[in-house]
Amino acid sequence: MKGINEIFSKNLNDLMRKHGENLSELSDRINVAYSTVSDWQHGKKMPRSGSLQKLADHYGVNISYLTSSHDENEELHRPKVKSLARRMDKLSDDDLDFINDLLDKFDK
């Protein structure tokens, strides 16, 4: 059975690859030291809760997605989800905030 560090590291690396993001870019975008993100990426350390939330927000996933095992992150392979992700990638931050607020209403 895989440990949480290994699971998180795999998920982080998968998300970085899918978003075409390298270690330096991620570090800058979430405002966390390069060496810290490197430790996460290599499974040496786990992020604290605030950093986990930054990562979840950055990638548009929830914390449990980052910390749980997936079969090749199955929800990202569904055609409708892939299509929406491609379309949403082109939206402005204001548009994304509006959509996020709208989706929050469905969660209640």
Side-chain angles (χ1 to χ4, degrees):
M1 186 166 139
K2 293 181 180 178
I4 186 74
N5 287 28
E6 186 179 353
I7 291 168
F8 171 78
S9 172
K10 180 191 180 312
N11 291 337
L12 178 61
N13 282 298
D14 287 347
L15 287 166
M16 288 173 67
R17 186 182 67 255
K18 286 176 182 158
H19 286 83
E21 199 167 44
N22 65 38
L23 188 59
S24 180
E25 291 167 333
L26 177 58
S27 172
D28 289 344
R29 289 176 181 151
I30 63 169
N31 198 30
V32 173
Y34 180 95
S35 60
T36 301
V37 177
S38 177
D39 285 346
W40 301 341
Q41 186 184 28
H42 295 99
K44 293 179 183 176
K45 293 182 181 176
M46 280 293 295
R48 294 184 179 169
S49 61
S51 295
L52 269 174
Q53 190 60 58
K54 279 185 184 181
L55 287 165
D57 292 344
H58 176 72
Y59 288 119
V61 298
N62 58 38
I63 290 175
S64 65
Y65 180 90
L66 292 169
T67 58
S68 59
S69 189
H70 311 279
D71 290 329
E72 288 304 310
N73 300 323
E74 64 280 348
E75 62 268 17
L76 291 180
H77 292 289
R78 293 180 24 214
K80 287 183 181 180
V81 173
K82 281 177 142 179
S83 174
L84 283 171
R86 278 192 302 274
R87 292 176 68 192
M88 291 179 72
D89 193 42
K90 299 173 185 174
L91 297 176
S92 71
D93 285 343
D94 288 341
D95 290 339
L96 290 171
D97 288 341
F98 173 78
I99 290 170
N100 197 37
D101 290 344
L102 184 65
L103 290 172
D104 284 344
K105 292 179 183 181
F106 285 100
D107 289 338
K108 293 179 181 177

